[in-house]
Each structure stands twice: as structure tokens, then as C-alpha cells.
Amino acid sequence: MGSIKSVFVVLGAAVPVIYCGGLVYYFLDTSGSIDDAVTTGLGPTIVGLGAVGLLFAIPLLVKIVGAFSGAGSRARVKSSASETEEEFDADAVLARYKAKQSSAAPTFEANAPAAQRSTFGRRAT
């Protein structure tokens, strides 16, 4: 593994899988067997926890694979993509925006009468 961050990412993804697995183990251990768990009504709970645990295992597997193989390939992809992209000029974008805003600015007449606003409740004097 390349960095400490990848270790913590994998451990963080493993927590829900371990939690669901621990609950399945606990429910099976307290009931004695799968047949006893179904008899006592814990069957759907155990099946549901198993399904949720498997769903949480998918991101865990993706993060494990990414931790072992992702660091070197990301750097190569990023360097090849930066060679083909054009440079971004923030000053040019800001200048175009300001030019567009100044040409589309509304003009107001100073002597135009104000529109009458309707009031609700008491009349303003």
C-alpha cells in the first residue's frame, strides 16, 4: 500500500462489513443454529444483515483493489490528460464576463415615476 490514507480508507470501509458480520454471528450464536433462528423469528433479520453486509462489501473490495493498484496508474493518466488539455486563463474569462455584463446593463431613467405598490394591512401614510 502506498500511503497511510489508503489504509484508513480501507479500514473505514471494513467497519460496516465487520459490524454486520458481528451481528449475524451474535444472532446465530444466541439461537444455536439456523433452524432455531428461523423458529424464533430471527431468520429474516439474519438474511437481511447478510444482504446488507454483502452490499457493504462491494465498496470495500473496490477500495482494496484501488489501494493496491491505483496510485501509479492515476499519475500516468493525469499527466497524459494534462498534455492534451488547453490552458485555462481565468483573467480572460473574467474579462469576457465583465464585458458581457456591461453591454447588457439596464438603463434607468431618473425622472421615471415609481410604480405604485399595493399594501396589505394598514395603509402607509
Side-chain angles (χ1 to χ4, degrees):
M1 287 190 206
S3 67
I4 298 294
K5 181 181 176 184
S6 61
V7 172
F8 284 115
V9 167
V10 170
L11 287 177
V15 168
V17 175
I18 293 170
Y19 183 73
C20 289
L23 285 175
V24 168
Y25 176 76
Y26 173 76
F27 287 138
L28 284 176
D29 187 45
T30 56
S31 61
S33 68
I34 294 177
D35 294 332
D36 291 339
V38 170
T39 304
T40 58
L42 287 175
T45 303
I46 293 172
V47 171
L49 282 170
V52 170
L54 287 176
L55 287 176
F56 279 128
I58 294 170
L60 174 64
L61 293 175
V62 168
K63 289 177 183 180
I64 288 173
V65 169
F68 283 117
S69 66
S73 63
R74 283 189 204 140
R76 279 184 258 127
V77 169
K78 200 175 239 187
S79 65
S80 65
S82 63
E83 293 170 359
T84 59
E85 291 182 11
E86 297 177 8
E87 290 293 322
F88 177 75
D89 189 11
D91 293 330
V93 171
L94 188 60
R96 283 194 305 264
Y97 173 75
K98 285 191 173 196
K100 192 185 298 183
Q101 288 297 323
S102 65
S103 67
T107 58
F108 295 105
E109 294 180 21
N111 296 334
Q116 283 289 69
R117 289 181 43 189
S118 63
T119 58
F120 181 78
R122 291 188 183 178
R123 189 180 303 203
T125 57

